[in-house]
């Protein structure tokens, strides 16, 4: 898909603030710094619509990006960021749980995992959570540009096995640097938009 139109509609912290057109939504989940905001930017071909940072914890609210006036990417604050307080972590948990478990137009959750490392405990908890709520999931393994080609299959296998990836949940190797996986990801999203 070639995106001509993308804009941030709202940074929300509670359901009353979510957009109400009923457009399909795809939420980005993953640990802090894994590349969620970079994924959105690469997919829509914009350098910095979604704010990114080399420091974890950049995205703090549910950011709804309206694409082509027909669907949303929802950028979600990352988990596993050690520097937030317990109360902040709990508030984060409530905000995201409320969104993920109660949103009818949420078509799939795109869970990002850093291809360089085995999934963290938080990654596994998040995937289990999504499966518990029967949320269609797409696993996107980020930073593929940092792994030599010959070692990609091994890294892919480690992640799939650690998660216990369910049949029907796609696994995409992705790089926001090179654009690897972009077309594959779009093909999956277009199918799931309906
Ligand atoms: P939070 O908002 O803190 O949860 O982080 P995020 O998941 O949105 O990560 P973000 O997109 O801000 O990226 C974090 C850092 O990783 C930035 O320095 C990006 O440039 C870098 N990065 C993201 N994706 C890739 C990738 O595919 N390859 C490489 N080499 N770097 C990447
Ligand atoms: Mg972010």
């Amino acid at each position: 898909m070639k995106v001509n139109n993308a804009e941030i509609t709202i940074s929300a912290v509670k359901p009353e603030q979510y957009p109400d057109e009923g457009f399909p939504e795809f939420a980005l989940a993953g640990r802090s710094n894994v590349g969620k905001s970079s994924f959105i930017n690469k997919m829509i071909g914009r350098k910095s619509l979604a704010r990114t940072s080399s420091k974890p914890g950049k995205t703090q609210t549910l950011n709804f990006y309206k694409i082509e006036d027909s669907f949303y990417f929802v950028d979600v604050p990352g988990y596993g960021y050690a520097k937030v307080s317990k109360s902040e972590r709990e508030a984060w948990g409530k905000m995201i749980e409320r969104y993920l478990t109660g949103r009818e137009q949420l078509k799939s959750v795109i869970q990002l995992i850093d291809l360089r490392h085995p999934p963290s405990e938080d990654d596994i908890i998040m995937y289990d959570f999504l499966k518990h709520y029967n949320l269609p999931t797409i696993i996107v393994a980020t930073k593929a540009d940092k792994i030599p080609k010959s070692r990609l299959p091994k890294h892919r296998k480690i992640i799939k096995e650690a998660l216990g990836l369910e049949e029907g949940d796609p696994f995409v190797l992705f790089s926001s640097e090179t654009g690897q996986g972009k077309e594959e990801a779009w093909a999956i999203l277009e199918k799931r938009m309906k």
Side-chain angles (χ1 to χ4, degrees):
M1 181 185 278
K2 167 106 179 59
V3 173
N4 298 306
N5 232 306
E7 62 184 38
I8 179 147
T9 297
I10 190 161
S11 294
V13 293
K14 51 184 185 208
E16 300 87 89
Q17 299 169 322
Y18 302 166
D20 59 6
E21 301 108 318
F23 291 163
E25 290 170 4
F26 295 100
L28 280 298
R31 23 180 354 183
S32 242
N33 213 240
V34 68
K36 298 175 296 298
S37 301
S38 302
F39 173 86
I40 294 177
N41 289 332
K42 193 69 197 177
M43 291 295 282
I44 65 180
R46 293 270 291 268
K47 273 226 159 64
S48 55
L49 183 66
R51 299 290 301 280
T52 65
S53 169
S54 55
K55 278 191 283 178
K58 180 71 192 169
T59 307
Q60 298 277 0
T61 49
L62 295 167
N63 294 339
F64 288 78
Y65 294 95
K66 182 151 61 178
I67 315 298
E68 301 295 55
D69 240 322
S70 61
F71 73 96
Y72 281 96
F73 279 129
V74 185
D75 200 3
V76 173
Y79 49 76
Y81 176 41
K83 281 214 178 116
V84 298
S85 66
K86 187 160 176 263
S87 61
E88 274 180 299
R89 205 165 14 242
E90 281 169 6
W92 175 90
K94 274 204 192 101
M95 176 173 79
I96 176 156
E97 191 172 333
R98 204 146 48 145
Y99 170 71
L100 290 177
T101 59
R103 192 65 171 159
E104 205 178 321
Q105 52 269 66
L106 178 60
K107 296 293 181 185
S108 285
V109 176
I110 305 169
Q111 185 181 359
L112 272 61
I113 295 190
D114 191 326
L115 183 63
R116 295 173 298 176
H117 314 292
S120 68
E121 192 136 334
D122 287 333
D123 288 329
I124 293 169
I125 290 170
M126 174 54 80
Y127 186 68
D128 287 346
F129 173 90
L130 298 174
K131 294 304 93 181
H132 177 78
Y133 285 99
N134 286 321
L135 284 159
T137 306
I138 301 159
I139 299 294
V140 168
T142 61
K143 311 197 182 185
D145 55 282
K146 300 247 189 187
I147 301 287
K149 274 218 170 67
S150 62
R151 282 171 41 209
L152 289 174
K154 185 165 173 234
H155 285 248
R156 173 202 285 267
K157 184 162 179 270
I158 288 171
I159 293 177
K160 281 186 164 179
E161 285 182 359
L163 292 180
L165 189 74
E166 288 187 6
E167 205 145 329
D169 285 347
F171 184 103
V172 180
L173 292 176
F174 193 86
S175 166
S176 298
E177 288 288 314
T178 66
Q180 177 183 353
K182 182 176 164 178
E183 295 314 319
E184 189 183 351
W186 270 126
I188 296 164
L189 295 180
E190 280 171 49
K191 252 192 241 153
R192 293 196 176 189
M193 232 170 263
K194 291 157 197 148

